[in-house]
């Protein structure tokens, strides 16, 4: 098996229902990836170790999904030079708006590319990670272009 180049991390196992959509897009495009539960609040040492060692282990992009206070993407970004894509996971209390605002409002100097709340954001994070990787991988670029063309071709011209 190929070593993973994308890491998908999430704050809890309940976030997998959302974050699996990022993994699905990466799998569709043949991109090796790994998934881990890494909580900024409950497992801070695990987060520290993961973010600090990611590049040395061969990762090129990290996709981080979190809900509520959603510190995971920003904390990961503060500890690695790799691009971090944040996915706000929908929360019960505020429907993911709390997650979105927590991720998108990073201070200057610690960027996190922030996607939409929920499933669409996770799927697009997978596609954005693929696009980032495709800038240096012609074969992946071709697969991504073919995936997009198939998506376009799948749109009906008539409503019935």
């Amino acid at each position: 098996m190929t070593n993973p180049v994308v890491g998908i991390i999430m704050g809890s196992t309940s976030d997998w229902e959302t974050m699996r959509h990022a993994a699905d897009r990466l799998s569709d495009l043949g991109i090796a990836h790994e998934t881990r539960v890494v909580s900024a609040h409950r497992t801070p040492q695990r987060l520290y170790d993961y973010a600090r060692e990611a590049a040395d282990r061969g990762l090129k992009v990290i996709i981080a999904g979190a809900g509520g206070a959603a510190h995971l993407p920003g904390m990961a970004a503060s500890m690695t030079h790799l691009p971090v894509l944040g996915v706000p996971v929908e929360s019960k209390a505020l429907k993911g708006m709390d997650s979105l605002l927590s991720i998108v409002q990073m201070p200057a100097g610690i960027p996190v590319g922030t996607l939409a709340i929920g499933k669409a954001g996770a799927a697009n994070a997978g596609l954005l990670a693929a696009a980032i990787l495709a800038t240096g991988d012609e074969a992946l670029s071709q697969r991504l272009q073919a995936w997009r063309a198939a998506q376009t071709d799948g749109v009906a011209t008539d409503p019935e």
Side-chain angles (χ1 to χ4, degrees):
M1 171 151 177
T2 305
N3 290 333
V5 292
V6 177
I8 301 173
I9 58 176
M10 62 211 80
S12 69
T13 56
S14 63
D15 296 341
W16 178 241
E17 184 56 34
T18 297
M19 299 308 294
R20 70 181 179 83
H21 299 285
D24 290 347
R25 294 298 78 73
L26 294 170
S27 293
D28 291 345
L29 293 164
I31 298 171
H33 58 280
E34 65 184 22
T35 57
R36 299 282 187 278
V37 175
V38 179
S39 172
H41 301 114
R42 294 180 309 245
T43 63
Q45 187 63 50
R46 188 184 303 171
L47 168 57
Y48 179 86
D49 293 343
Y50 188 90
R52 286 287 194 193
E53 297 168 1
D56 290 340
R57 292 187 310 102
L59 294 183
K60 305 293 184 200
V61 180
I62 295 173
I63 299 172
H71 290 118
L72 182 61
M75 290 301 297
S78 76
M79 292 184 271
T80 184
H81 67 278
L82 298 177
V84 175
L85 307 178
V87 177
V89 174
E90 187 172 336
S91 58
K92 292 178 184 166
L94 297 173
K95 305 291 187 211
M97 285 302 297
D98 48 347
S99 312
L100 173 65
L101 294 173
S102 292
I103 297 170
V104 79
Q105 286 298 110
M106 289 301 297
I110 310 294
V112 173
T114 308
L115 286 294
I117 298 167
K119 175 183 173 180
N124 281 340
L127 293 170
L128 184 54
I132 291 167
L133 295 169
T135 63
D137 182 335
E138 185 57 33
L140 175 55
S141 179
Q142 294 297 318
R143 292 193 309 273
L144 182 57
Q145 290 176 55
W147 188 92
R148 289 181 175 176
Q151 179 180 267
T152 298
D153 292 345
V155 177
T157 55
D158 296 317
E160 294 182 28

